[in-house]
Amino acid sequence: LPFPEGFLAHHPPKFEEEWQQIIRNSLLVTFFFIALAPSLVKAYYNSKSSGRSANESSASEDESLFASMPSGNGKMRVLTRTYINGKEQIIATVDRRKTKKTKPNSICEKNDDKAAATVPSFVFILINMVYLACLVMLIAHSPNNTATARKVFLAPLLKPEETELIIKMANNAAEHSAQIAKDELALLALSNGNDGESKKESLEKVLEWPAGYKKDRHASYPTTDLNVVIDFSTEDKATLKRILDARLSPLIERVYGISRDSIRANDMFFVRYDGEGQQALNVHTDSSHISFNVLLNDEFEGGGTRFHNRLDSTHEDARPKPGQVLINNAMVHHEGLPTTKGTRYILVGFMNVDVKDPWTSSRKNVSWFSTYLSFPWLTVCLKEALMVSKQTGAGVNRNEVPVFSKNFYINSLLSHSVVNFSRIGDASAPHGIVSLVNEEDSEAYIDALESVHENYGKQLEGARWYSGQQIFLNLDGTFRALWQHRTDNPDKFRDDL
C-alpha cells in the first residue's frame, strides 16, 4: 500500500530494490564460481604442468645428445655427449641388440606431452568455501541485517485525545480487575479449602497497590501491567485495533520490509511506572521479533528508555513525547529508566513476524529476506522454538525458567549459539535512535495514514492483534503450545474483533 513518504525526515531502505540487487549479485557470484573459476584453475595448472615438462625436456637434451646411426647387422651406433672433469666428450657405443621396426603410437605420443594436469581436490573445496562465504556476506549486508537490525525508530502514533482515552481504558480495566479479584476471594473464603491457597495469594497481589494491576506476569523482568486482551473491554479493544491497523501496521511494514498480514502480537500490555512503586526495569531483551512502546502521558519526572550497544558498552536514551511510538528489533538490549516522581504510562507490544499461520499453516506474504535470511529473526526463532518446558500440562508457564534441551551438552551448545548469533548482529548492524517524522508534521502524517487506510487498508488482510497472543511456535512456524495465562482465559482470545 502507498505510504506517506513525503512526511518522512529519514527514509528506511527500499527493501524490494535492495533484495533484487542482492539476488542479481548472487547470480553473478554463482556464475563466476561455477562456470569460470573451475576453468581458470584448470588452465592455470595445465600451463604450470606444460612449463615444467618443457624445462625437464630441455635439461635432458643438455645432459645427453642421442644420435642413432646404422652400423650393419641390425646394430646401432650411439653417440653420447657427456661432461668429464668439466670437459665435453663424445663417446661412441654400439647397441648390440637388434632393433625392430615398429610404428610409433602417434596418439599416445601426442597425449603424453599434452596430458591435462590433475587439480588437487583441496582447491575445489576451497573454491566452494569461498563461494559460500561470498553468498553469506551478500545476505549479511541485506537491509534486514544492517539498516534495521539494531536501530530504534521514533514516530508519531497517537493524538493527544487518544492518549488520554487509552489511559481511561486502563483505569476502567484496573477497577474491573480489582472487583473480579475481590469477588473470587470471597468465593474462596466460602469454600474453606486449602487447594486454592496459591490462587488466593495471586488474587491478593492483584489487590495490592496499584489495585487491579498484575505484578508477576513477567517473572524474569516483572512489570506492573494490564494485559490488553484479558483486561480491556471488547469495545476498548476494537477502538485500539482500528488505530493499530491504520497507523502501526503500515509503519512496521515500511520500516522492516514485512507484509502486515505476517504481523502477530504475542503480548500487548499497559504498563505503569511510579515514583513510589515500580520505578524502572533492568536491562533485557524482549521475547519477540519487533517491540513497540508508546508513551501516553508526561506528568512525571525521569523515565525514558535506554538502548545499549553491547560491543562498545555505549548507550543512547530515548525520551519520546506523549503519542510517539518507539519500535525496535527485540534483540536490542534496553532498560526502563527510573521514574522518580509521578506516574509514567506506556503501551507495550511484543510483535512476531510469522511465515505461516500458526494453526492453518497457510503461507504469509513475507519475503525470505525478512525471515529465514534475517539473522535477528532467526535468533529469536531459534531461542523460542528450542525451548523445552519443565512443566507438563496444557499450558506453558511463561514464568518458568526454560531450557533449550533436556540434554546438558545440547542445551549448552544451543544456548551459546543464540548468544553468538546476537553478537554477530551487534557487530554487523549500526546502532542509534532515528526520528522518522519531524514533530511539526506529526498530525498531518497521522491524518495521511488514516486516509490511506480508509481508501486501501480494508482490501488486505491485516495484522493479528489479539487472537494470536501468548503462544509458542515451532521452528517451522506451526503452533506448539499456549502460555499458561492464555490457558486460564481461553474465551478472551477467540477472535480479533
Side-chain angles (χ1 to χ4, degrees):
L1 293 182
F3 189 86
E5 296 278 345
F7 294 101
L8 295 183
H10 171 87
H11 293 270
K14 295 182 178 179
F15 288 90
E16 293 285 348
E17 294 180 8
E18 296 201 27
W19 292 340
Q20 290 174 7
Q21 186 60 46
I22 291 173
I23 292 172
R24 286 192 290 268
N25 292 340
S26 299
L27 291 175
L28 289 174
V29 168
T30 301
F31 174 77
F32 174 80
F33 279 98
I34 291 180
L36 296 181
S39 300
L40 294 174
V41 169
K42 288 180 180 178
Y44 169 75
Y45 274 91
N46 284 340
S47 64
K48 189 175 179 181
S49 177
S50 298
R52 185 165 52 248
S53 299
N55 291 336
E56 291 173 355
S57 175
S58 175
S60 298
E61 290 176 0
D62 285 341
E63 291 177 1
S64 302
L65 175 63
F66 297 94
S68 301
M69 299 176 61
S71 59
N73 297 326
K75 299 178 181 178
M76 299 292 292
R77 178 177 294 175
V78 180
L79 300 179
T80 304
R81 182 177 63 185
T82 186
Y83 294 87
I84 299 175
N85 298 326
K87 296 181 179 181
E88 181 180 359
Q89 296 186 11
I90 303 297
I91 301 174
T93 59
V94 177
D95 187 353
R96 300 183 180 277
R97 294 171 296 178
K98 293 185 178 181
T99 60
K100 294 182 180 179
K101 295 181 179 181
T102 58
K103 290 184 177 181
N105 188 340
S106 58
I107 297 177
C108 294
E109 289 175 356
K110 291 178 181 179
N111 289 345
D112 285 345
D113 291 336
K114 297 182 179 179
T118 302
V119 180
S121 58
F122 79 87
V123 174
F124 291 107
I125 295 174
L126 183 61
I127 290 175
N128 290 331
M129 291 176 64
V130 174
Y131 168 60
L132 292 175
C134 289
L135 291 182
V136 170
M137 290 298 295
L138 286 172
I139 294 170
H141 283 82
S142 74
N144 302 86
N145 291 321
T146 54
T148 61
R150 291 296 184 269
K151 283 188 177 179
V152 180
F153 298 91
L154 176 68
L157 186 74
L158 301 172
K159 296 180 179 181
E161 61 272 18
E162 293 168 337
T163 60
E164 295 174 3
L165 176 62
I166 294 175
I167 293 174
K168 184 178 179 180
M169 292 178 184
N171 289 334
N172 293 336
E175 291 179 7
H176 183 64
S177 175
Q179 187 59 52
I180 291 175
K182 290 177 182 177
D183 294 343
E184 292 189 1
L185 276 174
L187 290 174
L188 284 175
L190 292 174
S191 66
N192 293 323
N194 296 324
D195 295 339
E197 193 62 33
S198 62
K199 185 175 182 181
K200 179 182 177 182
E201 292 178 3
S202 178
L203 292 171
E204 288 175 344
K205 200 168 188 68
V206 171
L207 292 176
E208 293 176 1
W209 185 89
Y213 282 82
K214 311 296 189 299
K215 288 86 175 177
D216 57 356
R217 220 168 52 84
H218 304 94
S220 299
Y221 300 93
T223 53
T224 304
D225 63 40
L226 297 165
N227 180 265
V228 171
V229 177
I230 296 174
D231 298 314
F232 279 39
S233 69
T234 301
E235 294 77 13
D236 290 344
K237 286 189 287 187
T239 301
L240 189 57
K241 178 183 183 298
R242 189 200 64 77
I243 294 174
L244 298 175
D245 278 338
R247 305 174 198 174
L248 187 59
S249 282
L251 179 62
I252 294 176
E253 184 178 55
R254 179 65 187 90
V255 170
Y256 293 98
I258 58 178
S259 59
R260 62 189 67 190
D261 71 309
S262 67
I263 301 170
R264 176 179 56 82
N266 206 30
D267 199 11
M268 193 185 305
F269 47 102
F270 179 94
V271 183
R272 60 180 290 166
Y273 293 101
D274 294 279
E276 299 178 356
Q278 182 183 3
Q279 295 182 328
L281 193 62
N282 293 333
V283 180
H284 63 285
T285 59
D286 299 326
S287 295
S288 62
H289 295 120
I290 299 168
S291 298
F292 76 84
N293 80 77
V294 190
L295 181 66
L296 300 174
N297 72 320
D298 57 4
E299 295 88 15
F300 61 89
E301 295 179 6
T305 306
R306 175 167 292 174
F307 295 92
H308 293 266
N309 184 334
R310 287 172 287 190
L311 285 183
D312 56 14
S313 299
T314 59
H315 63 263
E316 194 168 350
D317 295 342
R319 289 187 170 87
K321 299 199 172 186
Q324 291 184 321
V325 61
L326 291 168
I327 58 175
N328 59 275
N329 185 285
M331 294 307 297
V332 179
H333 268 53
H334 59 282
E335 63 177 305
L337 296 174
T339 298
T340 57
K341 186 178 180 180
T343 302
R344 173 176 171 246
Y345 297 112
I346 59 174
L347 180 67
V348 178
F350 296 162
M351 316 300 295
N352 277 33
V353 180
D354 293 337
V355 295
K356 60 178 67 173
D357 186 283
W359 289 279
T360 66
S361 296
S362 59
R363 176 76 187 180
K364 298 293 185 179
N365 185 30
V366 61
S367 169
W368 275 57
F369 284 99
S370 300
T371 52
Y372 292 110
L373 299 181
S374 168
F375 296 154
W377 187 90
L378 276 176
T379 303
V380 174
C381 286
L382 181 64
K383 176 182 175 182
E384 291 289 317
L386 295 177
M387 285 183 176
V388 177
S389 175
K390 296 177 180 179
Q391 183 178 346
T392 58
V396 176
N397 190 346
R398 187 68 180 176
N399 292 340
E400 287 286 329
V401 179
V403 295
F404 290 123
S405 171
K406 295 177 181 178
N407 183 291
F408 172 80
Y409 297 102
I410 295 177
N411 177 54
S412 178
L413 176 63
L414 296 177
S415 299
H416 282 87
S417 297
V418 170
V419 172
N420 289 330
F421 272 132
S422 301
R423 289 174 178 169
I424 291 172
D426 292 337
S428 61
H431 293 62
I433 300 174
V434 177
S435 181
L436 293 174
V437 180
N438 292 326
E439 188 176 347
E440 60 270 19
D441 297 327
S442 295
E443 190 168 344
Y445 162 78
I446 290 175
D447 290 339
L449 286 174
E450 288 284 348
S451 176
V452 171
H453 179 70
E454 187 65 28
N455 294 327
Y456 303 101
K458 297 177 182 178
Q459 303 173 11
L460 297 178
E461 182 181 354
R464 179 177 280 177
W465 299 111
Y466 304 133
S467 63
Q469 283 197 32
Q470 301 192 8
I471 63 174
F472 284 117
L473 301 183
N474 294 307
L475 192 57
D476 63 354
T478 55
F479 171 78
R480 177 175 180 178
L482 300 175
W483 294 14
Q484 189 66 51
H485 286 120
R486 176 161 179 161
T487 305
D488 296 338
N489 301 272
D491 295 339
K492 297 286 187 177
F493 296 85
R494 285 184 175 173
D495 54 55
D496 267 327
L497 310 175

